[in-house]
Amino acid sequence: MKFVRITELDYEQYFKSYSQIEFSIHIKNQKEPKYFVKSYAKEIALSEEIFLQVLKQSDVEMYFIKDCEENIIGISVMQIMGEFCYIDMFAVFEKERGLGSKAFSILKDMLKSKSIRYIRFTCPFAGAQYFWKKQGFSVVRNCLYELEI
């Protein structure tokens, strides 16, 4: 598994990737529906014009998460500000196989090599919060999570 930087030539794959994201809205084994429908994620994908503008920002990094056969299995979007990394999107397409934990471990090592000390993100969904707490994150306030690495 590896992280591959998204470039201005990757908009089609970026948009297609967003159509595969499911948000974990409830903790597993609850009666409520576990995931949002995939079409919701597609609606929050950036337009091509904004996508190109975002890629030009020096503090934004966008990555495909790929498996060993070069298949895109997830996506990560983050903003680097000093010793902080703010995750805007982190998703793997197949849930409950350990891929998210493996991908996050790789991301954490990558960020350490860039002298990042803290990772932060906002997460309103209980299922995703459960995952991030398992990764060592703690709540700073409301839905803001942080991990010192």
Side-chain angles (χ1 to χ4, degrees):
M1 182 180 303
K2 63 183 177 179
F3 282 67
V4 178
R5 192 81 179 250
I6 295 174
T7 71
E8 62 277 349
L9 303 175
D10 293 323
Y11 182 74
E12 271 187 47
Q13 284 291 22
Y14 159 84
F15 192 78
K16 183 180 175 185
S17 294
Y18 261 76
S19 70
Q20 297 180 62
I21 297 171
E22 293 180 325
F23 294 100
S24 301
I25 56 175
H26 297 289
I27 298 172
K28 63 182 173 183
N29 300 325
Q30 288 187 345
K31 293 180 183 178
E32 294 89 354
K34 192 168 171 186
Y35 302 114
F36 273 130
V37 292
K38 291 180 178 184
S39 62
Y40 174 76
K42 193 173 185 177
E43 290 175 19
I44 64 170
L46 301 173
S47 68
E48 187 169 7
E49 180 182 345
I50 295 173
F51 168 82
L52 293 171
Q53 290 173 5
V54 168
L55 279 179
K56 291 178 183 175
Q57 296 175 5
S58 62
D59 60 342
V60 174
E61 297 184 10
M62 300 173 78
Y63 294 92
F64 291 123
I65 304 168
K66 292 188 172 187
D67 64 15
C68 57
E69 284 98 36
E70 297 292 319
N71 298 309
I72 298 172
I73 61 168
I75 192 165
S76 180
V77 179
M78 63 199 86
Q79 185 174 20
I80 307 292
M81 299 177 72
E83 61 185 11
F84 286 89
C85 171
Y86 295 89
I87 295 176
D88 294 321
M89 173 62 68
F90 181 91
V92 293
F93 307 142
E94 292 185 50
K95 307 290 189 217
E96 299 180 26
R97 291 188 45 218
L99 297 174
S101 296
K102 289 175 189 172
F104 180 68
S105 178
I106 293 167
L107 176 62
K108 193 167 53 169
D109 290 342
M110 187 172 78
L111 293 172
K112 281 181 189 177
S113 73
K114 295 179 180 209
S115 301
I116 301 299
R117 291 194 53 216
Y118 302 96
I119 303 172
R120 283 189 171 178
F121 69 93
T122 302
C123 181
F125 308 122
Q129 290 170 354
Y130 179 76
F131 168 81
W132 290 112
K133 286 178 184 175
K134 286 191 329 185
Q135 305 307 313
F137 281 82
S138 57
V139 179
V140 176
R141 65 179 176 278
N142 296 332
C143 295
L144 178 64
Y145 286 75
E146 180 178 278
L147 175 69
E148 183 174 353
I149 56 176

